[in-house]
Each structure stands twice: as structure tokens, then as C-alpha cells.
Amino acid sequence: RKEVEQDPGPFNVPEGATVAFNCTYSNSASQSFFWYRQDCRKEPKLLMSVYSSGNEDGRFTAQLNRASQYISLLIRDSKLSDSATYLCVVNGGGSYIPTFGRGTSLIVHP
Amino acid sequence: DTGVSQDPRHKITKRGQNVTFRCDPISEHNRLYWYRQTLGQGPEFLTYFQNEAQLEKSRLLSDRFSAERPKGSFSTLEIQRTEQGDSAMYLCASSLIGTTGELFFGEGSRLTVL
């Protein structure tokens, strides 16, 4: 079983739609969780950290479910510019090595 | 520009040649990571440094790969006797101990082995 698993998609949605991605992780001792965004042929950049209480940043909401070992990302009112790959990242649990999922591809069309 | 910089951005080489990549992290960052990414996959951990000490190395990393961070600042990643399977994007990232652990990535070095 991979340490961090994501559905690669692609998720193909119209502008204005709400879309949600999930990510599961295997190390129950993991402590830090992030969502990164990666545009085509560019480097990953932090989108948001994921806190135990859940957090929101504009149209983006991230949640953590420790009991089931998954994190989620919800994007409301999708924009064309949201088209990218979204990478789930898990850290901690006895290691300082951030572990990436394979990413979920989102395509927002007019 | 005080971000992470990598050099070269692109490298095309013939199988069997050696290549070296350089990474200059954000100056006050004490952790430096190397990842490899291929098409359709997420970044895969290779190795990381805390200051000048190499603390972990992926067991997937063959002995053809070596990395250094001699003075705790810039780092180099060398691949000896390159193989076609080494073709990938090599990403460097840095972070600061005591923060959220956010990684700041360079733009990557794309390697093509012919």
C-alpha cells in the first residue's frame, strides 16, 4: 500500500462547479498535512496547510479526518485558472520527509 | 530573487555519462530536499539534508546517485553512468526547522538521457 494515495483523475468540471478531492495516508502517526498545487511543467507550490479543525481560504476548504486517515480539499465556484494538479502531502510520524501523493488532475472548462 | 534556484534547468545527455545538478536553497533554510518526478506521478523523495548532514536517503536510490551539501548552503546531486530510466525532473526544495514545514521548491532540473 502506498503511503499517500490519491485518485489521479482527471476531474473535468464546468466553471462554477464544486469539486472535492480526497487523499488517504497510511501512517497513523503523521502530523502535518498539506495541499500543493502544480501547474503543467512547473514546480509544486503550497496551496494550504490542513489543520485538525479544518480550514478555509476563500473558495478552498481543507479537512482532516484522523480516524479514517484521510484529508480532503473542496473547491467551490471553480475557475478556469484552477486547472492544475493538486498534490496531497503528509509529513511526520517519526520522519521529516514530506511524502507526496501522485496528484489529482483538475480540468475546469468553460 | 531569494527563492530556491536550480541549475541547469535542462540537461540532455547520452547514456553512460555523468551529470551534476546544483541547488541553492533559500538562505536561512536549514533543511534541503531532493525529489524526482516523472510524468503523471508526484515527487518521489531521494534524499535530504539538515544543514550539512545528509540525514536520510531513499532506499530506492541506487549507488549511482550521490548528493552533498558541503557547507550547509548549496547542494549538488550527481548521477553517474546515467541510464534512460533516470530521465525525470529533479526538484530541490528547502524548508526551515520550527515552521509549518512548508517546502519551497526550485523550478527543477529536467534530465533527458538518450
Side-chain angles (χ1 to χ4, degrees):
Chain A
R1 181 183 172 187
K2 286 192 172 181
E3 289 187 58
V4 180
E5 296 209 48
Q6 293 183 254
D7 178 349
F11 286 64
N12 205 319
V13 303
E15 273 186 291
T18 295
V19 62
F21 309 136
N22 284 337
C23 163
T24 58
Y25 60 94
S26 60
N27 187 345
S28 59
S30 298
Q31 297 169 337
S32 304
F33 308 89
F34 308 89
W35 284 101
Y36 279 70
R37 171 190 168 130
Q38 186 172 28
D39 293 303
C40 188
R41 303 184 79 84
K42 297 283 191 182
E43 74 275 20
K45 292 185 179 177
L46 180 69
L47 177 66
M48 58 198 305
S49 302
V50 187
Y51 303 122
S52 296
S53 54
N55 47 302
E56 188 173 309
D57 183 2
R59 299 182 292 107
F60 298 84
T61 301
Q63 292 195 312
L64 167 64
N65 184 318
R66 286 190 183 272
S68 301
Q69 294 180 211
Y70 77 82
I71 67 175
S72 63
L73 178 68
L74 181 78
I75 305 175
R76 290 181 298 278
D77 188 24
S78 299
K79 311 291 184 192
L80 296 176
S81 57
D82 294 334
S83 298
T85 296
Y86 292 84
L87 296 159
C88 170
V89 184
V90 176
N91 200 359
S95 164
Y96 293 110
I97 301 169
T99 302
F100 286 75
R102 66 178 294 181
T104 297
S105 175
L106 172 65
I107 301 169
V108 182
H109 59 81
Chain B
D1 187 347
T2 57
V4 179
S5 63
Q6 292 189 244
D7 183 71
R9 294 287 311 283
H10 302 275
K11 178 72 177 179
I12 300 173
T13 192
K14 292 183 180 178
R15 190 176 51 185
Q17 298 295 304
N18 300 342
V19 297
T20 299
F21 301 117
R22 176 180 169 125
C23 171
D24 287 88
I26 293 172
S27 58
E28 64 268 27
H29 283 188
N30 28 36
R31 288 201 179 119
L32 185 150
Y33 298 81
W34 286 99
Y35 286 85
R36 177 172 62 192
Q37 188 175 27
T38 54
L39 195 63
Q41 301 297 317
E44 174 190 33
F45 169 74
L46 295 179
T47 188
Y48 100 96
F49 294 83
Q50 185 163 302
N51 300 312
E52 66 275 10
Q54 186 174 19
L55 295 188
E56 281 203 51
K57 194 173 168 181
S58 169
R59 60 181 179 272
L60 302 175
L61 207 62
S62 81
D63 56 7
R64 296 185 296 105
F65 287 71
S66 62
E68 294 184 340
R69 193 183 184 196
K71 296 181 181 178
S73 56
F74 74 91
S75 176
T76 58
L77 176 70
E78 182 183 18
I79 309 173
Q80 296 182 325
R81 304 181 303 282
T82 53
E83 301 173 356
Q84 287 184 324
D86 296 332
S87 296
M89 175 72 85
Y90 290 84
L91 291 163
C92 176
S94 67
S95 70
L96 187 60
I97 297 173
T99 63
T100 61
E102 177 184 355
L103 294 177
F104 293 81
F105 282 89
E107 293 181 300
S109 293
R110 184 171 295 281
L111 174 65
T112 302
V113 182
L114 303 176

